[in-house]
Amino acid sequence: MIIIMESDATQEQIDKVVNRLKENGFKINLNLGDVLTVIAAIGDKRLVQPQSIASFEGVREVKLIQEPFKMASRESQKTDTVIDLGNGIKIGGNNKPVIMAGPCSVEDYDSLLEIAKSVKASGAQILRGGAFKPRTSPYDFQGLEEKGLEYLAKVREKTGLLIITEVMDTLDLPLVEEYADIIQIGARNMQNFKLLKAVGKYKKPVLLKRGAAASIREFLLAAEHIMYAGNPNVILCERGIKGIDSTYTRNTLDLAAVPIIHKYSHLPIVVDPSHGTGRRYLVEPMSKAALISGANGLIIEVHNNPDKAVSDGAQSLTLEMFEKTMKNLNIIIEMNLAIEKNK
Ligand code: PEP
Ligand code: MN
């Protein structure tokens, strides 16, 4: 860590910081400038926490040199992680972006099958659908639970699409894991550390959504929890963060997170333009932008009758809109390939 002392810090205050670090085995490089004293300290920060040094008298600021996430970091692994999702579909690295699409909630078997057939024909490889739904209000539809998982499995059998579905609780995890090809952890649970550790015990791919108020560092540390517990197959998902606008958008889609994640982590990242905007008409432009920014995939809400959807109808594409969107996205994917070749 780098400790910057106040300009009027006394020698005694500097010594206190240095001694505390030295006592714990830190190597110190002291830089006594004309105006500021800067202390560079290398050691095990579990022994001396940066926050505790920050509260020493005479300390202006403490900065970390290394990223706090390790297994998820680019420093620990230079090459992109590629995750085999099954059915010959791979996500990450130079693989073609993976498109996941389907309703917000699994509502009934017939509509799920209709949506699945249609999104598959349009080019989606993975069917999304929530059986356990995190709802802001207890009076809203809460999900079909196990019945919903059964419908997803039946539709997978019929269409050959892989399925992604959310787990909300450690108690439901064994059941969801049995059905899902990709386990989704929702934004509201990004820092449910028990759940992160629990999915870490499995090897099944996990799609981890960014919390609505989570920094990129917190997001990567959440991924680190899953990896540290033993599951390296983590797919990150940018789904928008709380912004200052709630009139025109539901969330603020942070697309800069995509190249930032690629710079600091080797994990694949997909974008959810549906929750990221909350508005149907914004889904196609943000999907295009996500692919241009380097997303490894998209997860898009699609419904056969969005006006009647039990959740998130306003941000769900109709089947026809999704078909048209996919045609345009394929042009972007081709364009990206051409840019890649030009490098
Ligand atoms: C969802 O995918 O339906 C969902 C609830 O998403 P999020 O966790 O991003 O709000
Ligand atoms: Mn939704």
Side-chain angles (χ1 to χ4, degrees):
M1 63 185 102
I2 305 277
I3 300 123
I4 304 165
M5 303 298 294
E6 296 287 6
S7 54
D8 60 354
T10 62
Q11 189 58 47
E12 197 188 341
Q13 288 170 338
I14 296 170
D15 290 346
K16 262 199 175 164
V17 172
V18 170
N19 291 339
R20 172 70 193 276
L21 290 159
K22 276 191 174 165
E23 281 161 16
N24 286 284
F26 275 70
K27 288 207 178 83
I28 302 294
N29 189 323
L30 198 58
N31 195 330
L32 294 162
D34 288 343
V35 187
L36 288 176
T37 294
V38 177
I39 305 164
I42 310 242
D44 186 344
K45 79 176 166 49
R46 280 172 301 187
L47 300 177
V48 183
Q49 300 215 325
Q51 302 95 297
S52 78
I53 294 292
S55 68
F56 274 47
E57 276 186 59
V59 172
R60 177 185 291 185
E61 203 183 343
V62 179
K63 291 182 186 249
L64 297 178
I65 308 171
Q66 269 187 322
E67 294 301 343
F69 41 92
K70 302 209 173 344
M71 302 174 86
S73 80
R74 203 38 105 183
E75 282 166 3
S76 73
Q77 185 186 313
K78 297 271 176 278
T79 56
D80 291 330
T81 283
V82 173
I83 301 171
D84 196 339
L85 301 174
N87 274 3
I89 304 164
K90 294 195 170 118
I91 190 162
N94 292 329
N95 288 288
K96 204 172 160 204
V98 173
I99 310 294
M100 313 177 192
C104 176
S105 302
V106 175
E107 298 178 14
D108 59 79
Y109 176 71
D110 290 338
S111 70
L112 187 67
L113 183 62
E114 183 187 344
I115 297 166
K117 281 182 173 164
S118 177
V119 296
K120 185 180 177 181
S122 300
Q125 296 124 306
I126 293 168
L127 176 67
R128 65 146 289 147
F132 292 90
K133 293 303 302 176
R135 300 310 300 278
T136 303
S137 164
Y139 305 111
D140 288 338
F141 176 70
Q142 304 291 309
L144 295 182
E145 303 196 342
E146 189 163 3
K147 195 96 224 122
L149 296 175
E150 283 167 17
Y151 292 160
L152 282 164
K154 264 172 86 178
V155 170
R156 168 175 52 200
E157 218 170 278
K158 277 249 168 183
T159 60
L161 286 170
L162 298 176
I163 55 180
I164 174 167
T165 196
E166 176 165 353
V167 65
M168 281 173 48
D169 195 290
T170 50
L171 290 175
D172 304 321
L173 181 56
L175 180 72
V176 174
E177 200 271 341
E178 211 179 287
Y179 285 91
D181 297 298
I182 306 171
I183 303 167
Q184 176 176 324
I185 294 193
R188 292 157 189 81
N189 268 319
M190 190 204 82
Q191 284 188 319
N192 179 338
F193 299 113
K194 274 213 164 169
L195 186 58
L196 301 179
K197 285 176 185 158
V199 290
K201 297 270 174 288
Y202 294 87
K203 286 284 173 270
K204 205 155 259 184
V206 176
L207 180 129
L208 175 68
K209 291 189 141 195
R210 179 177 180 181
S215 67
I216 290 175
R217 177 169 285 167
E218 287 163 337
F219 189 20
L220 286 168
L221 281 168
E224 187 82 11
H225 269 282
I226 300 172
M227 299 176 85
Y228 185 67
N231 189 345
N233 302 314
V234 180
I235 304 161
L236 301 166
C237 176
E238 166 58 47
R239 48 77 73 201
I241 48 178
K242 289 268 179 233
I244 53 171
D245 206 329
S246 57
T247 309
Y248 298 104
T249 53
R250 177 179 179 183
N251 288 298
T252 297
L253 187 61
D254 180 12
L255 285 182
V258 176
I260 293 171
I261 296 280
H262 284 320
K263 183 169 164 63
Y264 291 99
S265 176
H266 50 84
L267 295 173
I269 175 158
V270 307
V271 169
D272 175 344
S274 311
H275 295 87
T277 63
R279 306 281 183 275
R280 190 177 301 146
Y281 84 98
L282 292 172
V283 170
E284 180 171 325
M286 290 303 98
S287 297
K288 290 173 178 163
L291 291 180
I292 290 175
S293 67
N296 299 108
L298 297 167
I299 178 162
I300 300 177
E301 287 186 338
V302 181
H303 199 280
N304 58 339
N305 190 352
D307 293 343
K308 294 236 169 91
V310 297
S311 58
D312 287 349
Q315 65 193 36
S316 299
L317 298 186
T318 62
L319 303 180
E320 298 72 27
M321 279 178 92
F322 181 68
E323 185 187 6
K324 187 182 138 276
T325 299
M326 281 301 290
K327 285 195 177 128
N328 292 332
L329 294 183
N330 283 329
I331 299 172
I332 303 279
I333 291 172
E334 289 304 316
M335 193 189 79
N336 274 347
L337 283 175
I339 294 173
E340 214 36 59
K341 271 199 198 134
N342 229 3
K343 268 190 183 161

